[in-house]
C-alpha cells in the first residue's frame, strides 16, 4: 500500500527505517519501562512537493501534554536568540496599539516574554499545560490548545486578526500541517507576516545530523517544501535567514502572494538547495548510507573504550539523544548516565530500550568519567565553556564523530 504525502497527497518514496523508537521527549520513570509507546520510525520523501516526512507518527496527545519535557529557556544562548528576534521585529514592523502577535507553540514564553515586556498585544498558543503555566508566570498571555483552523477562528473572534504569526520549532511537530496553514490563513491580516523557524533540511544533509529526526520532528523543512506548503494557500516566502541554532535552522518570512518584494536571499537559497539536490530522492538514499556508517563508527568507538575499562557518560539529554541511543542500540551498559540541567528530565531515564539514568549537571565534574558523549552537540561552545574544569575527553557525535 503506498503512503501519501501529508502536504500534497501524492504517493511518497519511503527510504529508511530507523527501527523501533519511543517518543523522543518522553523521559520516563523506571516503572514505566514496559508501557512505553513505541513506533517504527520510517522516513520518506515526496518527489512532488519535496517534503521530508516521517510515517507512523504517534498521536499529538501522546507527544504534547502536561508532561512535556522540553523547556526552551534551559539555554542562555537560546534566550538571547529569541530576545534578539523580538527586538528586530519591533524595529522592522512599526507596531502600534492595534498590533497583535500570535505565537504557535509558545513553550515557556522564551520569545513572547520580550514582546510582553514591550507592552505589545500578544497570545501564545501551546498544547502542553505545564509549559503554559511557566509562560504565564513571566507575564505571557497563553491559550492551552492545539493550533488549527477552529482555534484560529476562536482567536479572530476574541482578539482579532494578527499582524505577525510566529512559530519556532513547531511546524515540524504537527501531523495535520494543512490545518495549521489553514488556521494561519484565517488568522493573518491581509498585509501580515508569518515568521517560522525550523531545523533546515540542507543543514541536516550536510552535517549528517540524523538525530534531528524523531516523532516530534516529523517534517524537516526546506525552502522548496515550505514554499510548496504555503503556495497551496496563496502565500510565499519573501525572505530567508539562516542560523546555527539547534544545529542549523532556517527562518522563513512569509506573506500573501504579491504583497512583498521577494528578497534576493530567497532566489539564492533556492539555487543552493537545487545544487545540493534537495529535490532529488538520490540525496536521501545517500543520506541513509552516511547515517548507517555513523552508527557503526560510534558503536565501535564506545565498545572499544568500554573494553579498555573506560567510564563513559553523556552530557545533555536532548530529544536528539533519543534517536541516537535507540538507533545505535546504546544503553546503560555503554553509557552509565547522562547529565542534564532540565528539571523535567533529572531523576528520569532516557526512553525506549536505552534506559540511561539522568542526573543534574551539578554532579558532572565530581563523577570523574573518562569520556563524555556530548548529545547536546549544538550547544558545544556554551557547554565546553561552562565545564572547562572537565579534564578528560569529549566525544562529539555530529557532524563528524570526533574526540576532543
Ligand atoms: P536542545 O538541543 O536545546 O533541544 P532538543 O531537545 O530539541 O534536541 O537540548 C539541549 C539539552 O541539553 C537540554 O536537555 C538541556 C541540556 N543542556 C544542559 O544540560 N546544559 C547546558 O548548558 C545546555 C546549553 C543544555
Ligand atoms: Zn508532497
Amino acid at each position: 500500500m503506498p503512503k501519501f504525502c501529508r502536504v500534497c497527497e501524492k504517493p511518497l518514496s519511503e527510504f529508511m527505517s530507523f527501527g523501533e523508537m519511543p517518543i523522543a521527549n518522553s523521559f520516563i520513570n523506571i516503572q514505566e519501562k514496559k508501557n512505553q509507546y513505541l513506533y517504527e520510525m520510517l522516513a520518506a520523501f515526496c518527489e512532488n512537493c519535496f517534503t521530508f516526512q516521517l510515517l507512523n507518527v504517534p498521536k499529538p496527545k501522546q507527544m504534547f501534554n502536561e508532561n512535556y519535557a522540553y523547556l526552551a529557556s534551559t539555554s542562555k544562548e537560546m534566550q538571547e536568540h529569541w530576545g534578539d528576534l523580538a527586538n528586530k521585529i519591533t524595529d522592522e514592523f512599526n507596531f502600534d496599539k492595534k498590533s497583535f502577535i500570535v505565537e504557535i507553540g509558545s513553550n515557556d514564553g522564551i520569545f513572547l516574554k520580550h514582546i510582553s515586556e514591550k507592552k505589545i498585544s500578544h497570545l501564545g498558543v501551546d498544547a502542553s499545560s505545564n509549559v503554559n503555566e511557566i509562560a504565564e508566570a513571566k507575564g505571557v498571555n497563553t491559550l492551552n490548545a492545539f493550533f488549527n483552523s477552529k482555534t484560529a477562528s476562536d482567536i479572530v473572534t476574541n482578539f482579532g486578526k494578527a499582524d505577525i504569526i510566529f512559530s519556532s520549532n513547531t511546524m515540524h511537530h504537527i501531523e495535520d500541517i494543512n490545518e495549521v496553514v489553514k488556521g494561519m490563513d484565517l488568522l493573518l491580516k491581509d498585509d501580515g507576516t508569518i515568521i517560522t523557524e525550523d531545523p533546515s533540511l540542507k543543514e541536516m544533509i550536510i552535517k549528517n545530523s540524523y538525530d534531528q529526526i524523531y516523532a516530534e520532528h516529523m517534517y524537516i523543512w526546506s525552502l522548496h517544501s515550505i514554499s510548496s506548503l504555503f503556495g497551496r494557500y496563496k502565500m510565499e516566502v519573501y525572505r530567508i535567514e539562516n542560523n546555527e541554532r539547534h544545529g542549523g535552522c532556517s527562518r522563513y518570512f512569509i506573506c500573501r502572494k504579491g504583497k512583498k518584494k521577494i528578497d534576493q536571499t530567497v532566489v539564492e537559497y533556492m539555487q543552493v538547495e537545487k545544487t545540493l539536490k534537495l529535490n532529488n530522492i538520490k540525496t536521501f538514499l545517500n543520506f541513509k548510507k552516511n547515517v548507517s556508517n555513523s552508527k557503526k563508527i560510534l558503536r565501535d568507538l564506545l565498545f572499544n573504550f568500554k573494553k579498555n575499562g573506560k567510564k563513559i557518560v553523556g552530557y545533555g539529554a536532548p530529544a536528539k539523544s533519543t534517536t541516537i541511543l535507540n538507533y545505535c542500540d546504546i544503553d546503560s551498559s555503554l553509557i552509565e548516565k547522562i547529565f542534564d540541567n532540565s528539571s523535567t528530565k533529572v531523576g528520569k531515564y532516557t526512553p525506549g530500550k536505552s534506559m540511561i539514568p539522568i542526573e543534574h549537571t551539578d554532579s558532572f565534574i565530581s563523577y570523574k568519567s573518562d569520556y563524555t558523549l556530548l548529545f547536546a552537540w549544538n550547544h558545544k561552545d556554551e557547554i565546553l565553556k561552562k565545564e572547562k574544569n572537565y579534564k578528560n575527553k569529549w566525544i562529539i557525535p555530529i557532524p563528524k564523530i570526533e574526540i576532543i
Side-chain angles (χ1 to χ4, degrees):
M1 262 291 278
K3 293 271 174 69
F4 297 94
C5 173
R6 288 193 212 97
V7 172
C8 75
E9 289 148 28
K10 293 281 187 307
L12 282 170
S13 305
E14 187 183 314
F15 67 88
M16 176 168 190
S17 171
F18 286 82
E20 202 168 64
M21 281 283 160
I23 293 170
N25 265 309
S26 65
F27 297 90
I28 55 173
N29 295 313
I30 193 115
Q31 65 274 21
E32 292 165 322
K33 185 180 175 189
K34 293 228 153 53
N35 329 326
Q36 298 184 69
Y37 179 88
L38 301 168
Y39 66 100
E40 186 188 0
M41 193 165 97
L42 290 171
F45 179 69
C46 175
E47 294 178 75
N48 179 56
C49 74
F50 315 119
T51 305
F52 171 99
Q53 56 203 279
L54 289 183
L55 303 170
N56 280 347
V57 293
K59 295 269 172 288
K61 267 267 172 232
Q62 287 167 310
M63 297 187 277
F64 308 109
N65 50 43
E66 64 287 359
N67 295 320
Y68 191 53
Y70 176 71
L71 298 178
S73 299
T74 47
S75 159
K76 226 171 112 226
E77 194 181 293
M78 292 310 285
Q79 291 182 24
E80 283 165 13
H81 179 68
W82 298 122
D84 288 349
L85 176 67
N87 291 336
K88 230 172 111 181
I89 66 170
T90 27
D91 287 348
E92 182 175 335
F93 289 94
N94 293 321
F95 295 126
D96 59 26
K97 283 208 170 62
K98 287 199 214 121
S99 304
F100 181 41
I101 301 185
V102 176
E103 181 174 359
I104 304 169
S106 42
N107 198 268
D108 59 9
I110 188 168
F111 169 72
L112 282 182
K113 168 179 155 261
H114 302 278
I115 298 296
S116 162
E117 282 165 3
K118 293 177 199 295
K119 310 262 177 285
I120 301 167
S121 296
H122 64 272
L123 183 69
V125 185
D126 204 295
S128 305
S129 56
N130 60 330
V131 296
N132 282 344
E133 282 165 23
I134 303 174
E136 290 273 351
K138 294 176 184 166
V140 172
N141 305 321
T142 64
L143 178 70
N144 184 210
F146 284 101
F147 186 83
N148 49 32
S149 50
K150 162 86 176 62
T151 310
S153 307
D154 291 347
I155 298 174
V156 174
T157 308
N158 295 319
F159 304 93
K161 291 200 174 193
D163 295 82
I164 302 272
I165 302 174
F166 172 66
S167 86
S168 86
N169 295 291
T170 302
M171 292 292 289
H172 52 27
H173 274 348
I174 306 177
E175 183 170 13
D176 194 350
I177 198 66
N178 277 292
E179 256 303 307
V180 173
V181 186
K182 265 182 217 160
M184 288 174 159
D185 191 17
L186 286 171
L187 180 59
L188 190 70
K189 284 185 185 166
D190 217 33
D191 56 354
T193 298
I194 297 167
I195 305 172
T196 163
E197 181 165 327
D198 296 278
S200 129
L201 187 66
K202 163 180 165 266
E203 293 301 316
M204 184 181 90
I205 295 292
I206 293 177
K207 296 196 174 89
N208 200 34
S209 47
Y210 67 90
D211 59 346
Q212 284 296 355
I213 308 170
Y214 44 89
E216 298 93 315
H217 285 193
M218 63 185 81
Y219 302 96
I220 307 289
W221 296 105
S222 62
L223 177 57
H224 271 77
S225 57
I226 277 281
S227 299
S228 303
L229 172 63
F230 282 90
R232 292 164 68 87
Y233 302 87
K234 299 196 174 57
M235 293 191 254
E236 62 190 352
V237 179
Y238 70 90
R239 189 162 92 215
I240 180 169
E241 294 172 357
N242 301 289
N243 63 65
E244 275 305 310
R245 303 288 96 72
H246 283 293
C249 281
S250 292
R251 183 180 290 168
Y252 308 94
F253 293 77
I254 300 160
C255 62
R256 298 196 188 275
K257 265 194 181 137
K259 285 283 173 188
K260 304 213 171 158
K261 185 173 170 291
I262 307 290
D263 198 82
Q264 192 55 24
T265 51
V266 175
V267 181
E268 284 165 11
Y269 204 83
M270 271 289 181
Q271 196 47 52
V272 170
E273 289 192 348
K274 278 194 185 125
T275 310
L276 267 172
K277 298 196 171 57
L278 291 192
N279 51 3
N280 191 324
I281 183 69
K282 284 196 192 128
T283 305
F284 299 90
L285 295 169
N286 199 37
F287 172 68
K288 177 182 175 177
K289 263 191 228 145
N290 295 340
V291 172
S292 124
N293 265 342
S294 173
K295 169 177 178 171
K296 185 174 178 329
I297 298 170
L298 184 61
R299 281 177 59 81
D300 288 352
L301 195 78
L302 296 178
F303 273 104
N304 217 5
F305 290 152
K306 204 70 204 172
K307 209 170 68 199
N308 292 314
K310 302 295 182 200
K311 203 152 132 179
I312 316 169
V313 299
Y315 199 107
K320 294 187 283 288
S321 66
T322 299
T323 298
I324 300 191
L325 292 169
N326 286 279
Y327 173 65
C328 299
D329 292 318
I330 298 170
D331 61 16
S332 57
S333 64
L334 276 177
I335 294 188
E336 294 172 24
K337 46 181 87 176
I338 299 183
F339 297 91
D340 193 284
N341 66 358
S342 314
S343 56
T344 42
K345 299 177 187 175
V346 170
K348 298 205 169 175
Y349 289 76
T350 60
K353 301 176 287 246
S354 57
M355 294 298 291
I356 301 174
I358 304 170
E359 289 185 12
H360 198 277
T361 45
D362 285 349
S363 24
F364 171 62
I365 295 285
S366 59
Y367 191 64
K368 296 197 176 14
S369 59
D370 299 301
Y371 289 93
T372 300
L373 178 46
L374 184 62
F375 289 107
W377 55 269
N378 50 314
H379 299 287
K380 184 169 132 197
D381 294 346
E382 182 172 343
I383 291 173
L384 265 54
K385 201 161 138 209
K386 200 184 281 176
E387 303 295 357
K388 58 182 182 308
N389 293 330
Y390 181 62
K391 298 291 178 241
N392 292 327
K393 299 283 186 200
W394 293 92
I395 306 170
I396 312 296
I398 305 242
K400 216 176 95 224
I401 298 172
E402 40 177 5
I403 297 170
I404 56 171

